[in-house]
Amino acid sequence: MIDFIILEQMTAFAVIMQKHPGWVGLLQSTILESMGCIWFNRTEVKDREIVAKKLRDHVQGADNNPLLIFPEGTCVNNHYTVMFKKGAFELGCTVCPIAIKYNKIFVDAFWNSRKQSFTMHLLQLMTSWAVVCDVWYLEPQLLRPGETPIEFAERVRDIISVRAGLKKVPWDGYLKYSRPSPKHRERKQQSFAESVLQRLEEK
């Protein structure tokens, strides 16, 4: 959400965002609603189709505010770029990548939603000396002939990663909300043990 607050100072963006309860939800249903923002609920399966239609309708409207989408779909720790969702890249419109890199000199702007409420996170930021970050508005990009939305998303992720000096990682940001199954961990451990034995035999 801090990214949105920072970028909103430049121009009036409409944003796609998870529907929240409490005072954040009140802001969404009053002030932000007037800007053409789009809300969704991750727990509602039908929301995906509804939101996809709202996105297409929004980008086709000539008088609508530019649509701000965070394709990671979740907060990341400002060191990596996780895999992008392809939905933002199959709308048939121009994509203007924005790279943001926070400086931790005064405060860490990363919100770990598993450990801290947004209210406490916001209070921490507001009582720090300053929130410092660099913002780069990058060259607009279009889907190339023969390019799939997934390839388009990866190309844009490359551009953002290079400009902000972030490391690309081949996993989804939602991994922080779940733990690998015991069978998966067991297979990984077995695979690691086999690779170690193989290296020892080669030596």
Side-chain angles (χ1 to χ4, degrees), residues 4-148:
F4 170 65
I5 293 170
I6 289 171
L7 297 176
E8 201 70 17
Q9 297 177 61
M10 302 299 296
T11 189
F13 284 107
V15 68
I16 175 169
M17 187 188 298
Q18 162 78 31
K19 184 66 175 174
H20 289 271
W23 66 268
V24 176
L26 182 62
L27 285 176
Q28 289 178 315
S29 59
T30 54
I31 299 173
L32 298 180
E33 192 75 38
S34 64
M35 299 167 60
C37 297
I38 299 171
W39 316 123
F40 65 89
N41 191 339
R42 288 191 179 97
T43 60
E44 294 290 335
V45 178
K46 292 182 179 179
D47 262 19
R48 293 185 180 182
E49 295 179 7
I50 296 171
V51 169
K53 185 180 185 306
K54 285 183 178 179
L55 290 176
R56 288 192 294 270
D57 292 343
H58 186 97
V59 298
Q60 291 171 4
D63 297 328
N64 291 334
N65 289 328
L67 184 61
L68 183 62
I69 300 177
F70 298 97
E72 308 96 322
T74 187
C75 295
V76 289
N77 64 4
N78 212 221
H79 295 291
Y80 308 102
T81 51
V82 297
M83 294 172 65
F84 285 179
K85 308 295 182 184
K86 68 174 183 175
F89 302 91
E90 53 188 7
L91 298 174
C93 61
T94 302
V95 172
C96 299
I98 301 174
I100 302 177
K101 183 68 178 288
Y102 287 92
N103 189 321
K104 297 181 182 180
I105 185 171
F106 294 117
V107 66
D108 186 354
F110 171 59
W111 174 35
N112 188 334
S113 57
R114 299 186 67 181
K115 295 183 178 180
Q116 190 180 43
S117 70
F118 182 69
T119 301
M120 292 305 298
H121 173 64
L122 192 60
L123 182 63
Q124 179 185 350
L125 295 180
M126 292 177 70
T127 53
S128 65
W129 282 101
V131 176
V132 181
C133 71
D134 292 304
V135 180
W136 296 274
Y137 293 86
L138 306 173
E139 192 73 24
Q141 303 293 322
L142 287 166
L143 184 70
R144 293 171 177 171
E147 188 176 42
T148 67

